[in-house]
Amino acid sequence: MQIEVSGSSELTIRGNIKSIEDSTRIKEAIVALKKGEAGIQLKVPESFSMTSTVIGFLMKLVNVDRVRIALAVGDQRLYQLMEELSLVETFNVSLLHGQR
């Protein structure tokens, strides 16, 4: 998994999000990025899943820290997971154009 800062308030996470190490790296990257930001855009073009640790951290950001999240996913399976967890509105989830 690779994390790229792709804008002043945007991260692109490439590859599958699957390990505790991935979760830790994502959390650290978001914490570094969110200083002074009211909203964060996350692009996840390839991963078909997301660890519960990352989902829980994003929930804390939205519900406790009042940070707006915009999550753009490239894999329909990850979008469906967000739907099943009723998180599409919470995380403002959208599908990236031209993705599977």
Side-chain angles (χ1 to χ4, degrees):
M1 184 203 72
Q2 293 178 304
I3 302 172
E4 303 165 10
V5 177
S6 44
S8 63
S9 62
E10 182 177 286
L11 290 178
T12 300
I13 303 165
R14 301 197 178 279
N16 283 323
I17 303 167
K18 59 186 175 200
S19 70
I20 293 171
E21 180 184 331
D22 292 345
S23 300
T24 302
R25 289 179 54 218
I26 290 168
K27 286 168 56 175
E28 289 170 353
I30 291 172
V31 167
L33 186 71
K34 86 173 183 91
K35 292 182 176 152
E37 296 293 334
I40 295 175
Q41 297 177 347
L42 299 174
K43 290 185 179 178
V44 184
E46 293 127 12
S47 189
F48 60 87
S49 66
M50 186 175 286
T51 64
S52 59
T53 305
V54 173
I55 292 170
F57 179 71
L58 295 177
M59 293 284 296
K60 177 198 167 288
L61 286 177
V62 170
N63 295 319
V64 177
D65 299 341
R66 300 292 181 214
V67 175
R68 286 186 315 273
I69 302 289
L71 177 61
V73 300
D75 194 299
Q76 182 68 36
R77 294 171 288 183
L78 182 52
Y79 187 88
Q80 287 174 334
L81 174 64
M82 294 296 131
E83 278 185 322
E84 289 170 10
L85 297 173
S86 300
L87 293 173
V88 171
E89 286 184 26
T90 304
F91 296 157
N92 299 301
V93 182
S94 62
L95 273 170
L96 290 167
H97 295 294
Q99 299 294 322
R100 39 188 164 138

